[in-house]
Amino acid sequence: DVKVTQSSRYLVKRTGEKVFLECVQDMDHENMFWYRQDPGLGLRLIYFSYDVKMKEKGDIPEGYSVSREKKERFSLILESASTNQTSMYLCASSMTSGAPGTQYFGPGTRLTVL
Amino acid sequence: KQEVTQIPAALSVPEGENLVLNCSFTDSAIYNLQWFRQDPGKGLTSLLLIQSSQREQTSGRLNASLDKSSGRSTLYIAASQPGDSATYLCAVVGGATNKLIFGTGTLLAVQP
């Protein structure tokens, strides 16, 4: 079974703090993704990565950065957390195949910024 | 720009009923469509993936259909159970990327 894990289920941070959200997958997937999920807005893509050290902006990258130093790990960084970044953050991974394949999601991190 | 819509936003049915959830998308140039389930406060679980060349996929009591030309997909759940209560999301992959574009989901409640 594919397993995608996220470092924290719940996180509370203060405005201005630097926040790291970690995601690890154990199936040697090339592709990894970070989404945020907000009521009424659904899931929105923040950043994604097709390979180690490679990253591309999604639909809402402002205020975020990412790091992918190893294939299995994809980190989301909030350089200076703000209250409007309070949200559920979901990581996902997938294989690169002839056609885009199934995305597997982690359990999510609920981040509250005070 | 691709937009994905799910109707209804919420649905409540008695146990044992068969039900259909709807998903529509504006751009028919998709690679695949995926249905997910999300339990409260949890991540997403993939239910079914339909490639653009396929018309339907089945898994147990679930059947998903795809009509690319009309920009529609349905998720059929047979003999619903209280354990089916969750939010159901559809998402499409369009263009030469692996990016999913999600609908806002249908919240399903199956009453015992």
Side-chain angles (χ1 to χ4, degrees):
Chain A
D1 269 359
V2 175
K3 193 165 185 182
V4 180
T5 57
Q6 296 183 227
S7 50
S8 306
R9 290 300 310 277
Y10 301 94
L11 209 52
V12 179
K13 295 292 182 181
R14 297 210 173 272
T15 302
E17 281 193 74
K18 190 169 186 176
V19 181
F20 292 87
L21 303 182
E22 304 284 340
C23 175
V24 178
Q25 50 92 6
D26 66 357
M27 284 301 291
D28 203 36
H29 284 173
E30 295 87 353
N31 308 310
M32 295 188 76
F33 307 83
W34 275 107
Y35 298 88
R36 65 177 281 177
Q37 185 177 29
D38 300 287
L41 296 176
L43 277 93
R44 294 176 292 168
L45 181 64
I46 305 171
Y47 268 97
F48 61 104
S49 170
Y50 286 150
D51 202 351
V52 175
K53 297 192 185 293
M54 179 275 181
K55 61 186 178 184
E56 287 198 31
K57 293 179 180 179
D59 299 318
I60 51 164
E62 296 79 17
Y64 303 94
S65 62
V66 291
S67 173
R68 193 162 180 204
E69 296 295 321
K70 294 185 178 180
K71 191 175 186 180
E72 68 270 18
R73 187 180 298 270
F74 192 35
S75 302
L76 180 69
I77 304 157
L78 287 65
E79 295 290 341
S80 177
S82 63
T83 55
N84 64 11
Q85 293 179 309
T86 292
S87 186
M88 170 72 106
Y89 290 87
L90 291 161
C91 174
S93 72
S94 70
M95 289 191 298
T96 298
S97 58
T102 300
Q103 286 197 15
Y104 297 90
F105 281 77
T109 295
R110 184 163 294 282
L111 172 67
T112 301
V113 182
L114 302 175
Chain B
K1 181 185 171 185
Q2 178 74 269
E3 292 184 1
V4 181
T5 304
Q6 291 185 247
I7 294 173
L11 181 64
S12 180
V13 299
E15 182 176 3
E17 269 202 13
N18 302 324
L19 59 100
V20 174
L21 306 180
N22 296 294
C23 173
S24 61
F25 45 95
T26 54
D27 185 348
S28 62
I30 64 169
Y31 274 70
N32 63 45
L33 183 145
Q34 199 166 348
W35 282 94
F36 294 88
R37 169 189 172 132
Q38 186 176 30
D39 293 292
K42 302 285 180 66
L44 277 66
T45 300
S46 179
L47 298 173
L48 290 164
L49 182 146
I50 311 177
Q51 300 292 354
S52 61
S53 58
Q54 297 174 321
R55 297 283 296 186
E56 64 178 320
Q57 282 285 338
T58 298
S59 176
R61 295 183 293 109
L62 305 180
N63 176 277
S65 68
L66 175 63
D67 183 343
K68 262 184 56 174
S69 61
S70 67
R72 292 180 184 175
S73 176
T74 61
L75 179 67
Y76 175 82
I77 302 177
S80 59
Q81 303 170 357
D84 295 330
S85 299
T87 296
Y88 290 81
L89 296 153
C90 73
V92 299
V93 174
T97 71
N98 221 331
K99 294 165 59 175
L100 282 170
I101 300 170
F102 283 86
T104 49
T106 294
L107 176 61
L108 173 66
V110 181
Q111 308 298 333

